[in-house]
Each structure stands twice: as C-alpha cells, then as structure tokens.
Amino acid sequence: NSASSRTIASTRYRICPGLLPNMSLESVRAFFAEKAPDISVIESTQSSATVVLAAEAYGVEPARIAKTLSLRVGDRVVLIVASGTARMDNKKVKGLFGGKPKMLGLDEVAEITGHEVGGVCPFGLKTPLPVYCDVSLKAFDIVVPAAGSTHSAVKITPSRMAELTSAEWVDVCELRTAPEAPAYSSSS
C-alpha cells in the first residue's frame, strides 16, 4: 500500500539520506510525465539549494527563482511559492490564514513534502498540500522552481505552475531587491 511505502521510504531516508533526493526527483518527473509531458526536469551539476545558487546554475536573475516556503499555520501545513527575492510578510500570512506562520523544521519538510530542503517544490508531493502562488511571480513570463532535489529545476510560466498544482493566487510577500532575502520576516 502507498502509505506503508512512504513510511518505508521515510525510514530509509533517515538511515540512508542519499535515497530521498532520487525518490523526490523521480516523483517530480512522474508528476510532469502525467500532467505536463511537455515540461522537462533540468538537472545541474551545480547546487541550486539557495536562490543565489539556483540563479547561477540556471542562468537567470534571482527574482525568477520560484522558491517554495513550507509553513505550518495552526494545525495546517501550506506551501507558498514566491519570487526568489520576495520576503514573506508574516502580517499578511496571518491575515490570510488566521494564524501565525511557522517555517517547518528540516525533518518535517522532508517527511511531509517528500522533498529535501533546497529542492522543495509544489510538484510530486508525498502528501497532498494546499499550494499558494504569491503574486510576486506574475512579474515574470518564466520562473524556475526546484524539482525535488538541490540539483534540479523546471522552467515554467507562473500561470501554468498555478494551474498544474491547483494553486490559489495570494499576496503575502514584500518585494526585495537583495538576491538573498530571508525567507520570511519575523518583525511583522
């Protein structure tokens, strides 16, 4: 059964951490094979684990990197995909979701999404999660989200990404010019 396979995979990841990225990458490939066979996963020998590294690896400006934030708000887990230079505004998120957002811990991210930190994306998720796309992505014709590992990505239009992941468009970020903007703001 699927649930026990995920538990076994999760246990294997704790014992042998190298397994999750390959399984995660394969889940993203399977997602696109089923839902959008015209989109290919791009792999890089260079790490794309941060916005700046991803921009270098895929030859785009940092703002075009579509970073995925994994948050817990109350008892709900949500994913927010935003421009690489945008910074989450806690006040806006709290207003939208009715509670204070908290970034998931490293273990929680892998356990819940099936993707390692640095490769988290809204595609091929281990557990179905609500996905929200921040309006900061609409400034670009093409964005580059991760594809399940720290060395993979896809190039996709923001509207297609939202459509494929059944995402809702939201306005929960502030735009920043610094390429390595923190993922969220705790001062709001």
CSV table of all heavy atoms in Angstrom, one decimal, residues 25 50 151:
chain,number,residue,atom,x,y,z
A,25,LEU,N,13.1,13.4,-6.8
A,25,LEU,CA,13.3,13.8,-8.2
A,25,LEU,C,12.4,13.0,-9.1
A,25,LEU,O,11.8,13.5,-10.0
A,25,LEU,CB,14.8,13.7,-8.6
A,25,LEU,CG,15.2,14.1,-10.0
A,25,LEU,CD1,14.8,15.5,-10.3
A,25,LEU,CD2,16.7,13.9,-10.2
A,50,THR,N,20.0,27.2,-2.9
A,50,THR,CA,19.6,28.6,-2.4
A,50,THR,C,19.2,29.4,-3.7
A,50,THR,O,19.5,29.0,-4.8
A,50,THR,CB,20.7,29.3,-1.7
A,50,THR,OG1,21.8,29.7,-2.7
A,50,THR,CG2,21.3,28.6,-0.5
A,151,HIS,N,19.7,19.9,-7.1
A,151,HIS,CA,20.4,20.0,-8.4
A,151,HIS,C,19.4,19.9,-9.5
A,151,HIS,O,19.8,19.5,-10.6
A,151,HIS,CB,21.4,18.9,-8.5
A,151,HIS,CG,22.6,19.1,-7.6
A,151,HIS,ND1,22.6,18.8,-6.2
A,151,HIS,CD2,23.8,19.6,-7.8
A,151,HIS,CE1,23.7,19.1,-5.7
A,151,HIS,NE2,24.5,19.6,-6.6
